[in-house]
Amino acid sequence: MRSIFMLLALCAGLPAFAQSQSLVVCSEAAPEGFDIVQYTAATTADASAETVYERLVQFAPGSTRIVPALAESWEVGADGLTYTFTLRKGVQFHQTPWFKPSRELNADDVLWSFQRQRDKDHPWHALSPRGYPYFEAMGFAELIEKIEALDEHRVRFTLKHPEAPFLADLAMGFTSIYSAEYAEQLLDAETPQKLNSQPIGTGPFVFERYAKDAQVRFAGNPHYWGGKPALDRLLLAITPDPNTRIQQLKAGACQIAVFPRPSDVPALRENKDLQVLELDSLLTAYVAINTRHKPLDDVRVRQAINLAFDRQAYLRAQYGEGNATLAAAPYPATLLGYDERLQPWPKDLERARQLLAEAGHEKGLKLSIWTRSGGGPTNPNPGIGAQMLQADLAAIGIQADIRVFEWGELIKRAKNGEHDLVFMGWAGDNGDPDNFLTPNLSCAAAESGENQAGWCHKEFDQLIREARRVAEPQRRAALYREALAIFQDQAPWIALAHPKQFAVLRKDVEGFVLSPLGSNNFAHVRRKP
Amino acid sequence: MLSFIARRLGLLIPTFFGVTLLTFALIRLIPGDPVEVMMGERRVDPEMHAEAMHRLGLDKPLPAQYLDYITKLAQGDLGESLRTREGVWEEFLTLFPATLELSLAALLFAGTLGVIAGVIAALKRGSLFDHGVMGVSLAGYSMPIFWWGLLLIMFFSVYLGWTPVSGRIDLLYDIEPKTGFMLIDTLLSEEEGAFKDALMHLILPAIVLGTIPLAVIARMTRSAMLEVLREDYIRTARAKGLSPARVVFVHGLRNALIPVLTVFGLQVGTLLAGAVLTETIFSWPGIGKWLIEAIGARDYPVVQNGILLIACLVILVNFVVDILYGLVNPRIRHQR
């Protein structure tokens, strides 16, 4: 039967599996590797954490809601310190030419995946020369007291202190569950580097081959616990230029193009062969006001700056009409504890001048505006943005000069606190408000530099620390509302925008949803016949 | 001839050291280190930063790092990428055939068309064709590659649908990379239609990459040809009653090609530089894109050794051209 099928396919001049369901995705960059715990880039996660690997829990498609994955259930201790997960039974690791699993997923695999990152004596710990950036950035080493296997299918995490976002953290790529058996096989063969080039997981797609900088090939996992995916083949075509991605899509060479430029979206909507998906993402664009520099330590000056900037005009120029929402807080309205009553600072030059005068700067001041050279998702056109701010500040007597730095350099200097005003952005990792507040606005972050405003407000810090330890959502929400009110009043940032994210699909693609976390998952995608 | 080759070879050694020193210093002059760039705006614990730098061997003083680098280089060890942990040499070998295939196709396009157009323009000096070729080549030389590539894609791939938009082959073909040259790999594979598909994918990028060399070669051929056609021996050949074609192609073109050959050699550098943009527009997985990303990530070993390999290549090609030049032009060979 198969040979007849092949013959038919050959007669049609097409590769054999063109008859079956295959999906080509024009992706924006090459994955750095496949051992996801070593990396932080979203593209790398799409090619590993979203296809090959799974975690104990996962985000429901298109949302930040936590649903079971490799753990079918869990219990949280009354003190919020212990999390006991019951693993799903019958989960199989991928069978490939380089690995044949002899057993199903069990607690050893979970232990291996975490101990490798946290235990310095673990045989695999030193084998990642880049370290474990996310594990460390999320503070997991200090958070977890111990992890133990209660039996073959139950694992208990004990924390050093209660941590409300813990479950959400466990849905992130760096907590992916690897096969301990495969790791052992690699170590025995003295080929540990293959963990990064020939990944084995439990996910909906089985890794086949990576042609460097060209394509990644996956096959649908026939033994997937969630049911075999509709796609027999998933192919990521690495297409870094956004124009080329769109032309590839129009020509039908790929069926999904990720990250189109917002300015191209209106024209794409007119195309009857294509569908455009849009979603409010977990991105925040902002200008950090360096409160360590005088006179920016004066709240009146910061408020005046906020009142001077015409954010509506900025949004239109930067993202295009309707492609972003105005930001009033460090995180978007879809997350816990957002206060609908919060209003972005209006443009009010009169009041701004008055505040400056009250602060003793009626004769004006001099500041520097720092921005990056090349655009990114939160700041597509850095030059224009900085010029708009410069012009608006001039209207209230603040003379600002613009300094442009390459991205890596900008981050380094901003962490050192050398700027006055700096254009920055943040992409949420797990949909928890804490993921926006602690890394960017806490006193600890002011100390280490990631809080580019250098803003350490004792009361605000106390509130977000408490909210991090409280499990009950309503109480957390109330704490965040209080914290956001302080943020609004103290104005350590000019909160700019929450840009929307887009994907363009051919009309025959079904089941693809955008994730607010910016990841792309194709497990439920199918193509109309 | 041997002493000529020896002199040329002698020049290679200082050039080689110069390149290693320059790339080593330049990449470290760019602010930011691999660990900082990797972490972006996320938290970098100073302890973790120090540990990671130590693991990467980047905490030693610079002279020690350079010495390490040169010692390893002398042993043929190009190190491994800080990002992917793959060997630099392995990565280069994976990606280089793509660039080479594209560059050869571009040179073939530029060389054939450029020489033909240059010869005709010289023969019909002052004609409409001559002015046309010179005008178009000037335009071609000043063409922004990005714009030109997109224009061709939009017209030939999207509007007319004649050629594929980007990539080396339709992804529905699963071609095992045996040689890395897609045209050869598709021939080795059993997949029907794959070779034609790969060839179609090569056309537009080759034209885009070949445009600037084409313009240079056409202009060079024309002026060299004009010069040669004024020579006494051409007049003699004509007077002998040789056919015009023989005069032009055997006596004229052969001599005119000597300077064009040098230009060919110099164009290798242009091709590799142009490959960076062409590879980005056409999603061509070659070394241009590889190096750009490595610079962005401060992947020191890849940048240092990638550039070194390319420099060696350019040096080698120019060395071969020099020798060829010496072969075809005895005056060069005997200069002291």
Side-chain angles (χ1 to χ4, degrees):
Chain A
M1 184 63 203
R2 200 178 147 187
S3 57
I4 295 174
F5 189 69
M6 296 260 290
L7 198 66
L8 280 172
L10 284 176
C11 290
L14 287 167
F17 51 81
Q19 307 290 326
S20 59
Q21 285 247 328
S22 55
L23 182 84
V24 183
V25 178
C26 279
S27 68
E28 82 285 17
E32 300 149 291
F34 295 88
D35 182 12
I36 181 61
V37 301
Q38 293 191 46
Y39 302 102
T40 53
T43 335
T44 305
D46 284 353
S48 51
E50 298 295 328
T51 47
V52 174
Y53 295 112
E54 292 180 295
R55 290 145 292 284
L56 292 172
V57 293
Q58 63 189 2
F59 298 111
S63 85
T64 55
R65 196 162 48 86
I66 303 295
V67 294
L70 292 181
E72 53 183 11
S73 64
W74 55 87
E75 279 167 36
V76 186
D79 51 6
L81 289 176
T82 57
Y83 287 72
T84 311
F85 293 90
T86 306
L87 302 184
R88 198 176 289 280
K89 294 199 175 83
V91 174
Q92 301 202 19
F93 280 102
H94 298 157
Q95 288 197 19
T96 62
W98 55 89
F99 179 62
K100 305 266 178 281
S102 71
R103 60 167 177 80
E104 293 169 351
L105 168 96
N106 67 29
D108 289 345
D109 301 310
V110 180
L111 253 52
W112 187 90
S113 305
F114 283 89
Q115 296 296 30
R116 169 197 181 196
Q117 301 187 70
R118 68 183 279 268
D119 177 6
K120 290 200 162 63
D121 299 326
H122 192 273
W124 277 81
H125 184 80
L127 294 178
S128 162
R130 298 164 57 98
Y132 304 93
Y134 249 124
F135 192 86
E136 286 157 28
M138 299 297 287
F140 259 44
E142 301 95 67
L143 174 66
I144 297 173
E145 170 81 38
K146 62 177 175 187
I147 309 174
E148 57 203 320
L150 300 182
D151 55 44
E152 203 184 341
H153 287 99
R154 280 193 312 147
V155 182
R156 176 178 291 161
F157 289 73
T158 307
L159 308 185
K160 288 183 185 153
H161 54 78
E163 173 88 351
F166 184 62
L167 270 183
D169 293 346
L170 288 186
M172 289 171 62
F174 76 96
T175 63
S176 292
I177 305 300
Y178 290 60
S179 162
E181 187 189 2
Y182 180 49
E184 197 175 330
Q185 174 188 314
L186 291 180
L187 216 49
D188 287 348
E190 293 181 5
T191 53
Q193 72 281 7
K194 285 198 176 161
L195 194 67
N196 199 18
S197 58
Q198 296 187 324
I200 293 288
T202 58
F205 295 100
V206 181
F207 176 87
E208 285 190 332
R209 190 159 64 79
Y210 170 45
K212 189 167 170 51
D213 289 351
Q215 47 164 303
V216 195
R217 306 183 77 89
F218 300 96
N221 177 2
H223 309 294
Y224 187 51
W225 59 267
K228 184 184 179 305
L231 298 173
D232 302 294
R233 278 279 185 304
L234 170 66
L235 309 167
L236 305 182
I238 297 155
T239 320
D241 184 58
N243 268 315
T244 313
R245 285 203 290 279
I246 295 305
Q247 305 305 347
Q248 280 276 56
L249 187 75
K250 284 184 181 166
C254 56
Q255 287 80 45
I256 297 182
V258 298
F259 303 114
R261 283 189 306 212
S263 53
D264 291 338
V265 165
L268 292 169
R269 287 191 205 279
E270 302 292 311
N271 190 319
K272 59 182 188 319
D273 297 328
L274 308 177
Q275 40 178 330
V276 177
L277 301 188
E278 72 165 65
L279 184 76
D280 289 325
S281 63
L282 292 186
L283 294 174
T284 302
Y286 63 91
V287 176
I289 305 176
N290 191 350
T291 59
R292 285 162 293 203
H293 283 188
K294 278 188 186 310
L296 299 173
D297 55 338
D298 187 331
V299 64
R300 290 169 297 190
V301 179
R302 299 199 299 266
Q303 289 174 342
I305 291 172
N306 264 282
L307 286 162
F309 194 37
D310 187 347
R311 271 170 261 224
Q312 288 289 4
Y314 175 82
L315 243 64
R316 274 194 304 275
Q318 193 65 271
Y319 309 100
E321 198 71 57
N323 290 340
T325 49
L326 216 53
Y331 57 82
T334 44
L335 299 193
L336 184 77
Y338 187 85
D339 194 339
E340 294 296 338
R341 289 166 303 180
L342 277 182
Q343 287 297 322
W345 288 86
K347 181 172 178 168
D348 185 344
L349 295 182
E350 188 101 352
R351 174 101 185 98
R353 286 194 197 99
Q354 196 186 331
L355 281 168
L356 272 189
E358 279 173 28
H361 303 288
E362 56 279 281
K363 290 201 183 127
L365 340 138
K366 281 195 176 165
L367 294 177
S368 61
I369 299 173
W370 292 37
T371 195
R372 59 198 287 183
S373 46
T378 54
N379 193 355
N381 202 335
I384 287 186
Q387 283 164 27
M388 292 180 86
L389 179 59
Q390 185 186 38
D392 284 353
L393 290 181
I396 59 165
I398 297 180
Q399 272 188 310
D401 59 333
I402 296 174
R403 305 213 190 137
V404 181
F405 293 93
E406 188 265 344
W407 181 227
E409 173 74 351
L410 181 76
I411 289 176
K412 185 177 180 179
R413 287 178 178 248
K415 278 182 185 171
N416 289 341
E418 296 175 29
H419 58 285
D420 290 332
L421 308 173
V422 61
F423 277 85
M424 277 285 161
W426 182 257
D429 297 307
N430 57 13
D432 195 280
D434 182 70
N435 179 251
F436 283 81
L437 302 179
T438 299
N440 295 307
L441 290 159
S442 65
C443 287
E447 185 120 332
S448 58
E450 286 78 36
N451 176 345
Q452 300 102 359
W455 181 66
C456 173
H457 191 281
K458 292 281 176 287
E459 199 183 333
F460 177 89
D461 200 60
Q462 182 58 39
L463 284 165
I464 63 171
R465 261 191 294 158
E466 195 182 338
R468 195 172 164 172
R469 281 161 167 69
V470 172
E472 208 254 309
Q474 284 196 337
R475 210 168 118 49
R476 283 191 86 199
L479 291 166
Y480 283 130
R481 272 195 292 275
E482 256 183 85
L484 293 189
I486 296 176
F487 169 85
Q488 167 88 350
D489 177 59
Q490 290 292 311
W493 287 2
I494 311 175
L496 296 172
H498 304 299
K500 286 186 181 167
Q501 74 185 74
F502 300 92
V504 200
L505 286 63
R506 301 280 309 177
K507 272 274 158 67
D508 66 343
V509 177
E510 291 176 332
F512 179 71
V513 283
L514 282 171
S515 157
L517 299 156
S519 55
N520 294 294
N521 187 303
F522 308 99
H524 304 290
V525 176
R526 59 172 65 244
R527 289 179 69 184
K528 274 184 245 174
Chain B
M1 187 69 197
L2 271 181
S3 74
F4 168 75
I5 293 178
R7 268 203 316 277
R8 289 286 163 185
L9 273 177
L11 274 177
L12 286 185
I13 295 163
T15 318
F16 180 83
F17 270 102
V19 171
T20 59
L21 200 62
L22 211 63
T23 49
F24 179 87
L26 281 180
I27 183 70
R28 280 170 178 77
L29 277 180
I30 312 178
D33 62 51
V35 180
E36 274 168 8
V37 171
M38 167 178 81
M39 295 302 285
E41 57 271 78
R42 263 150 248 283
R43 188 177 72 134
V44 195
D45 185 45
E47 204 174 299
M48 173 218 156
H49 182 265
E51 204 184 304
M53 291 298 273
H54 176 71
R55 270 194 303 244
L56 298 172
L58 298 173
D59 57 341
K60 295 183 193 165
L62 284 185
Q65 284 186 43
Y66 182 72
L67 201 67
D68 273 1
Y69 166 48
I70 290 293
T71 318
K72 278 191 180 162
L73 212 55
Q75 296 161 351
D77 180 2
L78 295 185
E80 52 180 39
S81 157
L82 302 182
R83 271 191 327 150
T84 63
R85 306 312 299 175
E86 297 277 325
V88 174
W89 178 240
E90 282 72 28
E91 289 201 343
F92 182 82
L93 277 192
T94 314
L95 298 173
F96 184 63
T99 302
L100 189 61
E101 191 172 59
L102 175 59
S103 303
L104 287 178
L107 260 191
L108 187 71
F109 161 77
T112 326
L113 215 62
V115 169
I116 293 175
V119 168
I120 299 178
L123 290 178
K124 305 195 170 211
R125 189 183 179 188
S127 70
L128 199 62
F129 182 85
D130 183 22
H131 290 306
V133 166
M134 287 307 98
V136 169
S137 72
L138 185 67
Y141 190 71
S142 18
M143 194 80 80
I145 287 188
F146 235 97
W147 178 81
W148 178 227
L150 276 177
L151 202 73
L152 289 184
I153 289 179
M154 276 152 96
F155 187 69
F156 287 106
S157 308
V158 179
Y159 181 70
L160 293 175
W162 289 357
T163 52
V165 177
S166 73
R168 294 179 81 188
I169 192 161
D170 193 314
L171 258 52
L172 296 181
Y173 294 103
D174 188 2
I175 305 294
E176 191 76 30
K178 289 192 178 117
T179 62
F181 295 93
M182 194 53 92
L183 290 180
I184 300 175
D185 285 342
T186 48
L187 280 179
L188 293 177
S189 83
E190 312 252 298
E191 300 225 32
E192 194 147 330
F195 176 75
K196 188 182 159 217
D197 191 72
L199 196 62
M200 294 304 281
H201 275 82
L202 189 57
I203 294 175
L204 282 194
I207 291 178
V208 170
L209 185 58
T211 299
I212 291 178
L214 166 66
V216 176
I217 290 170
R219 292 177 81 89
M220 198 66 208
T221 309
R222 176 184 176 272
S223 65
M225 202 60 192
L226 281 176
E227 207 160 296
V228 167
L229 288 179
R230 277 198 294 265
E231 295 286 340
D232 291 345
Y233 58 83
I234 296 291
R235 198 181 46 202
T236 312
R238 284 213 178 101
K240 275 200 315 190
L242 292 181
S243 72
R246 206 175 153 74
V247 172
V248 170
F249 291 106
V250 179
H251 294 262
L253 185 60
R254 230 169 104 179
N255 287 301
L257 278 184
I258 296 173
V260 175
L261 195 65
T262 318
V263 173
F264 252 81
L266 292 175
Q267 288 309 308
V268 173
T270 312
L271 279 175
L272 290 173
V276 173
L277 289 177
T278 314
E279 285 172 5
T280 306
I281 310 169
F282 290 96
S283 315
W284 198 267
I287 50 172
K289 243 171 66 184
W290 177 58
L291 278 178
I292 290 289
E293 277 173 23
I295 293 171
R298 310 288 187 272
D299 195 337
Y300 297 157
V302 170
V303 177
Q304 281 163 202
N305 292 317
I307 291 179
L308 184 67
L309 285 168
I310 292 177
C312 286
L313 196 77
V314 174
I315 294 172
L316 192 75
V317 169
N318 280 290
F319 176 64
V320 170
V321 169
D322 274 351
I323 292 177
L324 284 179
Y325 200 56
L327 277 180
V328 293
N329 190 348
R331 280 173 299 180
I332 302 282
R333 197 159 61 211
H334 298 306
Q335 263 171 22
R336 292 279 155 188

